[in-house]
Amino acid sequence: MIADAAIARVAAREADRFRAANPRAFAHRAAATGWFQSVPFHWMRDWPSPVPIVAASAKGAMLTSIDGQTYDDFCLGDTASLFGHSPPALATALARQAGEGLSYMLPTERGAALSARLAAMFGLPQWQVTTTASEANRAVIRWCRGISERRKVLTFNGAYHGAVDDAFVDLKAGTPTMRASLIGQVHDLRDTTAVIEFNDEAALATALRAGDVACVLAEPVMTNVGMVRDAPGFLQTLRALCDETGTLLVLDETHTISSGYGGHGVTHGPRPDLMVVGKSIGGGVPCAVYGFSTEVAARMAALNASRPAGHSGIGTTLSANALAITAMDTMLGEVITPAAYDHMLRGAARLVTGLETEIANAGLDWHVTQVGARVEFLTCPAPPRNGGEAKAAMHPELEAAIHLFLANRGILLAPFHNMMLVSPVTGDDQIDRLVGGFADCIKALKE
């Protein structure tokens, strides 16, 4: 057990250390007055440091700040750079494409190659490209409602699927509640969104057998409320109940692409009717895709044939631009390979072993959760079984103190839940430094 007073003491000391080591970051904040709250996008303020670290460059699994600090980067752009910063093949391809045009609003030969790569890697035959995973999830929800003629979407308590209104419904004391953090929401989402706890088979059966759910939108393992693993057999039950009730199963694999080559569905099952992947498949270039089965494609085509001409509510001018197509084709062809996953999974196993050893040595009732190349330590005694338990187990002050302690020693974690990613270019020396820094942090917290 870590005392609150110890957390406060370490946090204050580390904040002072950060201020002394990062004067240019503070000067940057003072100069960036044209940005609302001094950052170009609000989540850049979510880091536990007194001000955000200001990046100067990144290469492989290392990041350098404008203050000259170098970091072993286990955040990797919160998955956008899961396969390393600026892989050489990607940098070369993007430079070439920049000289040939960036956006045509026309298909390209490279796009045909990409569609084949997507089908081969993820096991779904038909694909569409969007600019973000949020946009892909919105498109998929719209398609599912259109082809099923059902209004409702089912999500899991604590889920996050990007900036998608339909997913911002939680459970509080068992009652569906609109998420209070959603800015400017004026419609009651509970009319068209059902929400249950992850791993609750009875609630899932009840919700789907009502016959009014168009699709289940789910991560196969929850990753945005800490990490919540699927209970044995739950995903198979989910697949079976969707089949029984004519409900479409959508897997958002934007994060769980870490599970293995082809993502969680290919690696562990079950296979979805539709899937979404964003962030990492473009190596950091804004792009995402959604794929779907032959049956779903036929239903989509029939719906298109039956509706009047005009705006569908799906897509933007920059969707499938030439730069994004080139980025994804290069990543899937040369960077995101089975060999890359072999390195990532071996490194993640080394990290898990190291963290678990230090937790045991310190006599703490914490645990470590792994989803392929994605690792997280949770400061609670037992793995949460659902989003409600995960939210209740969080200790934001402790997590922030650990994060800042490690950042001050050149180790960068994601600012959300102390999540860590292992890339194909992450070295054993980097993993060992992280484990050593973690051990030093625990020691400081127990003094």
Side-chain angles (χ1 to χ4, degrees), residues 331-395:
M331 290 295 292
L332 267 63
E334 302 184 54
V335 180
I336 304 175
T337 64
Y341 275 96
D342 289 343
H343 180 98
M344 295 160 72
L345 298 178
R346 185 192 60 76
R350 182 186 186 96
L351 177 56
V352 169
T353 298
L355 295 174
E356 288 180 338
T357 298
E358 296 304 334
I359 289 170
N361 288 342
L364 293 172
D365 57 354
W366 299 357
H367 71 275
V368 181
T369 301
Q370 179 186 4
V371 180
R374 181 178 299 269
V375 178
E376 187 167 315
F377 56 86
L378 291 88
T379 59
C380 56
R385 295 168 297 179
N386 54 53
E389 290 185 4
K391 285 185 282 189
M394 288 178 183
H395 196 324

Side-chain angles (χ1 to χ4, degrees), residues 145 148-153 166 191-193 212-214:
R145 284 174 168 155
S148 70
E149 297 183 337
R150 297 177 180 180
R151 302 177 69 234
K152 284 190 176 180
V153 173
D166 302 85
D191 292 338
T192 52
T193 298
D212 58 353
V213 175

Side-chain angles (χ1 to χ4, degrees), residues 183-430:
I183 294 172
Q185 180 59 38
V186 295
H187 301 292
D188 194 334
L189 300 171
R190 293 169 296 182
D191 292 338
T192 52
T193 298
V195 59
I196 62 172
E197 290 286 11
F198 196 63
N199 286 323
D200 188 338
E201 293 187 5
L204 178 65
T206 297
L208 296 190
R209 285 172 178 158
D212 58 353
V213 175
C215 67
V216 176
L217 176 60
E219 293 185 290
V221 175
M222 297 186 77
T223 67
N224 282 293
V225 62
M227 289 205 295
V228 179
R229 293 301 311 257
D230 53 307
F234 177 71
L235 294 179
Q236 289 68 34
T237 298
L238 171 60
R239 176 71 274 179
L241 283 168
C242 284
D243 290 340
E244 174 194 323
T245 60
T247 307
L248 295 160
L249 175 58
V250 181
L251 293 185
D252 180 352
E253 293 238 37
T254 298
H255 281 179
T256 55
I257 191 175
S258 66
S259 293
Y261 187 77
H264 201 90
V266 169
T267 304
H268 302 291
R271 298 297 182 93
D273 299 300
L274 305 95
M275 72 174 295
V276 168
V277 187
K279 295 186 182 181
S280 61
I281 59 168
V285 173
C287 53
V289 292
Y290 59 98
F292 37 95
S293 68
T294 300
E295 180 196 3
V296 169
R299 295 172 69 183
M300 290 165 62
L303 176 61
N304 261 343
S306 69
R307 69 180 181 87
H311 298 297
S312 65
I314 297 171
T316 63
T317 302
L318 289 176
S319 296
N321 66 76
L323 190 70
I325 294 292
T326 293
M328 289 188 286
D329 187 53
T330 303
M331 290 295 292
L332 267 63
E334 302 184 54
V335 180
I336 304 175
T337 64
Y341 275 96
D342 289 343
H343 180 98
M344 295 160 72
L345 298 178
R346 185 192 60 76
R350 182 186 186 96
L351 177 56
V352 169
T353 298
L355 295 174
E356 288 180 338
T357 298
E358 296 304 334
I359 289 170
N361 288 342
L364 293 172
D365 57 354
W366 299 357
H367 71 275
V368 181
T369 301
Q370 179 186 4
V371 180
R374 181 178 299 269
V375 178
E376 187 167 315
F377 56 86
L378 291 88
T379 59
C380 56
R385 295 168 297 179
N386 54 53
E389 290 185 4
K391 285 185 282 189
M394 288 178 183
H395 196 324
E397 294 81 11
L398 176 56
E399 293 167 3
I402 295 170
H403 183 284
L404 186 53
F405 184 101
L406 292 173
N408 280 336
R409 287 148 186 84
I411 301 160
L412 197 64
L413 310 188
F416 317 108
H417 323 126
N418 290 328
M419 182 269 294
M420 299 153 283
L421 296 167
V422 176
S423 80
V425 290
T426 300
D428 287 350
D429 57 334
Q430 294 179 289

Side-chain angles (χ1 to χ4, degrees), residues 1-281:
M1 183 69 176
I2 304 297
D4 290 345
I7 297 169
R9 182 185 69 249
V10 169
R13 185 183 68 200
E14 295 303 321
D16 288 343
R17 179 170 176 160
F18 183 92
R19 291 186 185 95
N22 295 277
R24 294 188 65 186
F26 284 88
H28 177 274
R29 182 184 65 171
T33 56
W35 297 122
F36 174 61
Q37 297 184 320
S38 300
V39 289
F41 206 73
H42 62 83
W43 40 247
M44 292 180 181
R45 290 171 47 87
D46 289 347
W47 298 81
S49 48
V51 297
I53 294 165
V54 181
S57 64
K59 186 69 176 176
M62 297 291 297
L63 183 143
T64 302
S65 76
I66 62 171
D67 281 290
Q69 310 286 348
T70 58
Y71 299 89
D72 295 317
D73 188 3
F74 291 89
C75 173
L76 296 172
D78 189 28
T79 308
S81 298
L82 173 62
F83 299 96
H85 293 288
S86 296
L90 178 63
T92 299
L94 294 180
R96 178 177 178 180
Q97 187 63 57
E100 297 174 352
L102 302 178
S103 190
Y104 316 132
M105 210 176 182
L106 291 167
T108 63
E109 283 189 319
R110 195 153 196 170
L114 172 60
S115 68
R117 294 190 198 280
L118 288 166
M121 179 173 178
F122 296 109
L124 289 170
Q126 296 281 281
W127 293 85
Q128 289 281 270
V129 179
T130 64
T131 311
T132 66
S134 295
E135 183 193 346
N137 280 320
R138 281 194 293 269
V140 163
I141 289 171
R142 192 174 286 274
W143 277 119
C144 287
R145 284 174 168 155
I147 65 178
S148 70
E149 297 183 337
R150 297 177 180 180
R151 302 177 69 234
K152 284 190 176 180
V153 173
L154 177 68
T155 63
F156 294 104
N157 183 34
Y160 179 73
H161 296 283
V164 178
D165 288 15
D166 302 85
F168 283 89
V169 180
D170 291 327
L171 286 177
K172 287 191 176 180
T175 301
T177 306
M178 291 211 298
R179 198 169 294 178
S181 59
L182 186 57
I183 294 172
Q185 180 59 38
V186 295
H187 301 292
D188 194 334
L189 300 171
R190 293 169 296 182
D191 292 338
T192 52
T193 298
V195 59
I196 62 172
E197 290 286 11
F198 196 63
N199 286 323
D200 188 338
E201 293 187 5
L204 178 65
T206 297
L208 296 190
R209 285 172 178 158
D212 58 353
V213 175
C215 67
V216 176
L217 176 60
E219 293 185 290
V221 175
M222 297 186 77
T223 67
N224 282 293
V225 62
M227 289 205 295
V228 179
R229 293 301 311 257
D230 53 307
F234 177 71
L235 294 179
Q236 289 68 34
T237 298
L238 171 60
R239 176 71 274 179
L241 283 168
C242 284
D243 290 340
E244 174 194 323
T245 60
T247 307
L248 295 160
L249 175 58
V250 181
L251 293 185
D252 180 352
E253 293 238 37
T254 298
H255 281 179
T256 55
I257 191 175
S258 66
S259 293
Y261 187 77
H264 201 90
V266 169
T267 304
H268 302 291
R271 298 297 182 93
D273 299 300
L274 305 95
M275 72 174 295
V276 168
V277 187
K279 295 186 182 181
S280 61
I281 59 168

